[in-house]
Amino acid sequence: MKIEQIELLEIQMPLVHFFETSFGRTTDRRIVLLRVRADGLTGWGEVTCGEKPFYSYETPGTAWHILSDFLIPWALERDWDSPAALAERFRPVRGHNMARAALENALWDIESQRQGVPLAQLLGGTLEEIPCGVSIGIQNTPEELLEKIRIEVDAGYQRIKVKIRPGWDLKILEAIRSEFPEIRLMADANSAYTLADIEHLKRLGRFDLMMVEQPLGWDDMVDHSRLQRELKTPICLDESIHSAEDARKAIEIGACRIINIKLGRVGGHSAARKLHDLCRAQNVPVWCGGMLESGIGRAHNIAMSTLPGFVLPGDVSGSRRYWSQDIIDPEVTVSAKGTIAAPRKPGLGYVPNLARIEKVTVRKETFENRR
Ligand code: OSB
Ligand code: MG
């Protein structure tokens, strides 16, 4: 694969509804996209970091720096046999997984077009449709949250995840369960608690939650393993898992029973597949997390979610929940039974809407191959 040109673009789009977690509220998104031209084909990737270094240390600014000063020059220095070979070249960089994922994933898009198969198939995906859940942020009032849950349950989504933090947890879950006794429900704390809250967290056991996501430190596994021994509710790790190696260690010490895989957080499709394979061999269920992606990142998530170990509904949901108009055609839609059909066309299976992208682009830089 000979890369001819790489373009970095920053787009800005307001969310249809604010999204609030234990670390803050997001109303407007800034997203770095990457367009790669190679072998006469065009591939797209998305950097899935937040605007602020709260979920992880990466931001649009750090990603732009790491990509333009390191990863892009390396990608242009020679030809590549596969996207995995490029990912291997990135090894000297410590961390910055979301930056490297964007570039590697764009090459996966190109490679699947080159082979004339859907990206899902190239990755080894087998599911023809993926089960979908939604992640619902902290709202201004409990009533507004119940209203939001009602809308998503009626739309057919297979499970509801709500964000929790101290002061927005037991009472909220109590209210949800009294109105929705039967739904598949889980809670995501985004590291809002410590081991000192152990008695409090044990009370989550009353709500028949599928899991509690990342209750303790964003970089911790040891305390999570202590907590899991005391907790009936399965723990799912998100922030703490950056590789298959991390997953192996977490499983070995009993820090979780479920893992949320995010393409950006683990550094791209090659690493995500390794992590998936490891969890599958160990019978640890995985599901695909979300980062309020635009259509490009969402399409990559859909392809990954067709791998056979993605047995639980993920956070990959319809475009309309985020954007008045997404940047791909068609937009991502969800069936009445809460599934997204895996596209059957070669590549991502969704077409980037260039006019729409142009309209929301605020910064652009082009890197040409001069070899
Ligand atoms: O912890 O899963 C998370 C969004 C931004 C940062 C972290 C998380 C989330 C979500 C949203 O839960 C999932 C989505 O709808 O994209
Ligand atoms: Mg999470």
Side-chain angles (χ1 to χ4, degrees), residues 266-301:
V266 307
H269 281 300
S270 301
R273 192 161 63 175
K274 262 187 222 143
L275 213 165
H276 160 275
D277 293 350
L278 175 120
C279 289
R280 191 144 186 261
Q282 308 242 19
N283 279 319
V284 172
V286 301
W287 53 276
C288 178
M291 290 293 289
L292 312 174
E293 287 92 344
S294 81
I296 305 281
R298 201 165 296 281
H300 279 287
N301 284 342

Side-chain angles (χ1 to χ4, degrees), residues 50-59:
E51 291 69 33
K52 297 174 182 165
F54 298 169
Y55 169 82
S56 83
Y57 60 80
E58 291 191 81
T59 66

Side-chain angles (χ1 to χ4, degrees), residues 6-7 9 34 41 61 67 91 93 96 110 125 134-135 253 298 319 334 344 359-360:
I6 301 178
E7 251 177 309
L9 301 96
L34 207 141
L41 300 165
L67 280 159
R91 195 195 274 278
V93 170
H96 297 281
I110 290 170
V134 290
S135 173
I253 66 170
R298 201 165 296 281
S319 298
V334 172
R344 292 159 187 263
K359 219 167 135 189
V360 293

Side-chain angles (χ1 to χ4, degrees), residues 118-293:
L119 175 56
Q121 188 184 321
L122 183 63
L123 292 170
T126 51
L127 305 182
E128 287 182 2
E129 50 181 11
I130 63 165
C132 305
V134 290
S135 173
I136 305 182
I138 294 164
Q139 305 298 316
N140 288 324
T141 64
E143 292 71 33
E144 282 167 50
L145 177 64
L146 292 174
E147 170 68 24
K148 283 228 147 8
I149 295 174
R150 171 62 64 198
I151 290 168
E152 307 300 8
V153 168
D154 287 349
Y157 283 102
Q158 298 186 12
R159 72 102 169 94
I160 301 291
K161 162 170 135 183
V162 293
K163 294 290 186 177
I164 56 169
R165 61 162 154 72
W168 183 276
D169 50 15
L170 303 179
K171 263 204 208 119
I172 294 298
L173 292 166
E174 187 87 59
I176 296 171
R177 269 302 180 221
S178 73
E179 194 147 335
F180 304 94
E182 305 286 340
I183 57 170
R184 294 173 91 190
L185 181 65
M186 60 173 288
D188 185 358
N190 289 109
S191 299
Y193 301 90
T194 70
L195 268 190
D197 300 310
I198 202 157
E199 291 309 313
H200 184 75
L201 290 168
K202 279 187 193 169
R203 297 189 191 110
L204 294 174
R206 292 187 228 151
F207 305 111
D208 187 27
L209 302 181
M210 296 170 77
M211 67 197 90
V212 58
E213 190 177 338
Q214 199 75 31
L216 308 180
W218 64 277
D219 56 350
D220 167 78
M221 285 193 210
V222 175
D223 283 358
H224 278 104
S225 121
R226 264 279 294 288
L227 179 64
Q228 182 66 93
R229 267 177 268 143
E230 308 267 334
L231 226 56
K232 190 174 93 185
T233 312
I235 291 176
C236 170
L237 288 179
D238 173 354
E239 282 90 327
S240 301
I241 305 293
H242 302 97
S243 62
E245 273 296 281
D246 283 349
R248 176 182 64 75
K249 292 167 190 168
I251 295 165
E252 193 171 305
I253 66 170
C256 63
R257 296 190 194 138
I258 299 169
I259 290 176
N260 161 342
I261 301 184
K262 289 182 181 168
L263 263 175
R265 198 191 68 231
V266 307
H269 281 300
S270 301
R273 192 161 63 175
K274 262 187 222 143
L275 213 165
H276 160 275
D277 293 350
L278 175 120
C279 289
R280 191 144 186 261
Q282 308 242 19
N283 279 319
V284 172
V286 301
W287 53 276
C288 178
M291 290 293 289
L292 312 174
E293 287 92 344

